Amino acid sequence: MTLEPTRIRLARERAALSRSALAASLGICERELAHAPEDLSLALADALGCAPQFFRLPATQGIDTERIFFRSPRRTSTAQKVAAAALGRNGVELYNLITRNFRLPHTGIPELCGFTPEDAAAHLRTEWDLGCGALPDLLHLLEARGVRVLSLPASLEAVKTFSFWEDGQAFIFLAAGSRNAQRLAMAHELGHLLMHSSLGENREQVAAAEREADEFAARLLLPSLSLQVRVSDSLQIPQLLALEEQFGAPAQVILAHSRARGLLGEGAYQWLSQELALEPDQEHQQLVSRVFSLVFPSLQRDHRASTARIARELGQTASQIHELTFGQAFVLLEGENLHDAGQGIRGHLHAL
């Protein structure tokens, strides 16, 4: 019996390894990868950082990179894009497992192709009944509208954040960062999902789409009516930081958006930008997914499905599931104490 070659390719792409490099690490020729025997599963799993079961799952492939919206498309290498596409398939399969056991909200994202960013933001606020003030927790808001949001492992943080549609479901993979930077990234990806489902490969189109998604994110997080009564050339740093906290948008984005809307003059913008550069950076903050906070405790309690068991079913490692779920899928860490042979070892559950 041979292992599934498409699974070997997917794991290899996720690990950003070439066929020749993988074959060399295993001491075989490249042709043998397409017909790898069962007894190579352990060596493959060790080389590619997954579980041996992964190569026995049905045939699959990564998400088509042409369908993925990358946060920094020009600065993302082809290898990074392919690795992100492979990770995207892992995330889709995790959510397929979840939806076999739980009923999640249907995707409620309207099709707004052809809308300007301003009109798209206004339409969405009306359709989702968001009013004209600060938005609530954006991760929870997206999940309530059926968007599948997962966290990006540290090994792919250079990709920043990306999103795509798959089988009528919207997915966002979010990189680590400050609370406000992550809110901005989610709003940016939401703009792509709303406005750019028919985006082509043309570089000028992609660059224009990035600018539109940036503008959409700013307009969604910073509605004009709210800014008009709060921003003027008399704005000071303490007031700016208060606006940052209130609206959950980076202060520099507030300044740039206010200047673009004519609420802030060039002199005030330059002075505030210089002063803002002296402020300490915000610390990274771990988001909490409402879906994962409900799903994993329930699977553990009602189905005795630990993270390790879920990982085995998906052919992934428990650490990989942990990385995809904002650290909310708990993993069992080995203790450092030594034990005599045959002595029972009691595990301890830790949140990473």
Side-chain angles (χ1 to χ4, degrees):
M1 180 179 177
T2 59
L3 302 174
E4 174 53 51
T6 62
R7 289 284 170 175
I8 296 175
R9 177 179 178 177
L10 187 69
R12 177 176 61 77
E13 290 174 342
R14 170 66 186 87
L17 276 179
S18 66
R19 285 171 55 88
S20 59
L22 176 59
S25 71
L26 298 173
I28 62 175
C29 65
E30 290 185 43
R31 292 192 306 275
E32 292 181 78
L33 287 177
H35 306 283
E38 180 79 18
D39 59 10
L40 267 182
S41 62
L42 287 175
L44 276 167
D46 184 59
L48 298 175
C50 59
Q53 174 63 18
F54 188 75
F55 310 114
R56 304 183 185 98
L57 296 174
T60 191
Q61 59 184 357
I63 306 298
D64 185 354
T65 56
E66 294 178 4
R67 295 194 289 112
I68 297 179
F69 304 111
F70 288 100
R71 189 70 174 88
S72 303
R74 292 185 177 180
R75 295 191 295 273
T76 304
S77 69
T78 299
Q80 289 172 331
K81 290 179 178 179
V82 171
L87 179 71
R89 177 59 61 193
N90 290 345
V92 169
E93 292 185 344
L94 172 59
Y95 256 102
N96 287 343
L97 181 148
I98 289 172
T99 53
R100 290 201 298 269
N101 297 279
F102 299 87
R103 182 179 299 172
L104 299 181
H106 294 295
T107 298
I109 296 181
E111 174 65 61
L112 300 181
C113 288
F115 280 60
T116 66
E118 180 180 9
D119 290 343
H123 182 91
L124 189 71
R125 276 184 170 268
T126 299
E127 182 158 320
W128 286 5
D129 195 23
L130 298 173
C132 60
L135 294 182
D137 187 301
L138 198 53
L139 173 57
H140 295 172
L141 177 63
L142 291 176
E143 289 180 327
R145 297 292 174 169
V147 182
R148 282 53 166 141
V149 186
L150 301 104
S151 50
L152 200 62
S155 59
L156 277 177
E157 280 193 351
V159 178
K160 303 301 183 184
T161 295
F162 65 91
S163 61
F164 57 85
W165 285 96
E166 176 71 3
D167 294 331
Q169 295 292 341
F171 287 83
I172 295 176
F173 284 72
L174 187 64
S178 69
R179 166 182 169 268
N180 294 339
Q182 288 183 308
R183 277 171 63 89
L184 183 70
M186 284 187 281
H188 177 100
E189 297 305 322
L190 179 58
H192 281 312
L193 295 168
L194 288 164
M195 300 186 294
H196 302 139
S197 60
S198 59
L199 184 64
E201 298 180 64
N202 182 281
R203 283 196 170 189
E204 291 184 1
Q205 285 183 320
V206 171
E210 287 301 306
R211 291 193 296 270
E212 289 177 352
D214 281 339
E215 185 178 350
F216 169 85
R219 288 188 176 274
L220 183 66
L221 296 177
L222 303 165
S224 295
L225 287 176
S226 294
L227 284 188
Q228 285 173 4
V229 298
R230 293 174 172 86
V231 176
S232 69
D233 284 351
S234 62
L235 186 69
Q236 299 293 313
I237 287 294
Q239 296 168 310
L240 174 61
L241 296 179
L243 289 176
E244 180 181 47
E245 179 65 26
Q246 179 181 356
F247 288 97
Q252 189 59 52
V253 172
I254 296 174
L255 291 179
H257 186 63
S258 298
R259 179 181 61 171
R261 301 282 73 78
L263 303 176
L264 200 64
E266 185 64 26
Y269 170 81
Q270 294 293 343
W271 180 80
L272 286 166
S273 295
Q274 293 170 7
E275 291 296 305
L276 184 61
L278 302 177
E279 294 291 321
D281 292 335
Q282 288 187 341
E283 294 183 0
H284 285 201
Q285 185 172 346
Q286 191 69 48
L287 296 181
V288 178
S289 160
R290 204 168 264 173
V291 171
F292 298 142
S293 65
L294 294 173
V295 162
F296 287 101
S298 179
L299 286 173
Q300 175 71 51
R301 182 182 63 250
D302 300 333
H303 303 278
R304 297 189 179 280
S306 64
T307 302
R309 179 177 167 184
I310 293 168
R312 282 195 299 273
E313 185 169 342
L314 296 174
Q316 301 181 39
T317 66
S319 294
Q320 287 172 328
I321 302 298
H322 180 86
E323 288 180 324
L324 281 172
T325 58
F326 300 99
Q328 290 177 248
F330 292 103
V331 295
L332 195 63
L333 301 179
E334 295 181 2
E336 298 179 356
N337 296 330
L338 298 177
H339 298 264
D340 294 332
Q343 180 181 353
I345 301 176
R346 187 173 182 178
H348 297 276
L349 204 58
H350 295 267
L352 293 182

